Amino acid sequence: MAKRSFRNLLPKDVAVRVSVLTLTGNLLLTAFKLLAGLYGGSGAMVADAVHSASDVCTTVLVLIGVRISARQADESHPYGHERLECLVSLALALALFAVGGGIGWKGIRTLLFATEQPSPTALALIAALVSIAVKEVMYRCTIRAAEKAPSASLSLRADAWHHRSDALSSVGSLAGIGGAMLGFPRADSLAAVILSAVVIVVAFGICRDTLRRLVDRSAPEELIEQLRETVLAQEGVCSVDLLRTRLFGSRVDVDLEISVRADLPLVVSHEIAERVRAAVCACPSVKLCTVHVNPAP
């Protein structure tokens, strides 16, 4: 059997493959940073290793979410399972809140009650540099996968930002380790407080976007206009009387009312409605489309 390239994989396969790759990378990176922190004498790097370990848990959540949301509709869930992906995304956002809050609180405590600690070695500095590079690559790969897999884009984007938060944490570790080696032991804690604020802001954005999708918010205006133009371009459509959208997980449900000539046979009107439905459903963002036909005045 011929091997499929990353570009030719199905959306669900893309999400699963990138999640498995990042899961493996996080396990190796966690072990490396933990050893570097212990043998390099850096408490910041040990904390950074714990942060990487949390990424392992969130990637497992993404894999579970992708599997569940990709299930076909059934009698109990006639509209599919995609909204369950919002719950995974929300869990990842809460994990980011916890990670950001934990890093910030630790940094504040160290700033206020710092005690003299031995200067870390170059091994911890190297581990921080490796971590920044690897986590940035993971972020970019996961964001690319989110663009290729609309059905899992919410949880993948949240996981991608979790990778970037780890990279930012490693930047703080790098600054702190470098500062400690240069004689400024509080540099690590100050960088941690600043970067924790960045992580919390990102988590808030993910949480807000996820909650909007859970309360049947309408699609972005540019997508609505694109759908309207698509409908009007179909032969036989006189006007668009109603176009309503609602976000359903990572995708969109569309309710349409169109006008066609009143003197057309029922079969012809039905064919026009089917062409409209097919054209709208051809948009990757659309999950379902319902078309109602009105006689043109």
Side-chain angles (χ1 to χ4, degrees), residues 6-89:
F6 182 84
R7 184 170 296 180
N8 294 327
L9 290 173
L10 295 173
K12 185 187 76 171
D13 296 332
V14 171
V16 170
R17 175 164 291 191
V18 76
S19 295
V20 170
L21 288 175
T22 55
L23 179 64
T24 305
N26 276 325
L27 286 170
L28 295 174
L29 194 60
T30 298
F32 174 60
K33 289 200 289 190
L34 182 61
L35 292 173
L38 294 174
Y39 288 100
S42 172
M45 185 50 60
V46 172
D48 207 2
V50 174
H51 189 181
S52 290
S54 73
D55 278 0
V56 174
C57 299
T58 57
T59 303
V60 170
L61 275 177
V62 170
L63 282 169
I64 295 172
V66 168
R67 290 291 186 184
I68 294 175
S69 63
R71 288 178 182 172
Q72 296 297 317
D74 52 36
E75 290 185 6
S76 300
H77 304 87
Y79 295 97
H81 300 76
E82 277 134 329
R83 188 163 282 182
L84 293 174
E85 195 217 343
C86 290
L87 301 180
V88 175
S89 178

Side-chain angles (χ1 to χ4, degrees), residues 231 237 239-241 256-260 272-273 276 291-294:
V231 173
V237 176
S239 65
V240 176
D241 300 334
L256 268 173
E257 288 189 17
I258 60 173
S259 289
V260 302
I272 294 172
V276 168
V291 184
H292 177 80
V293 178
N294 297 323

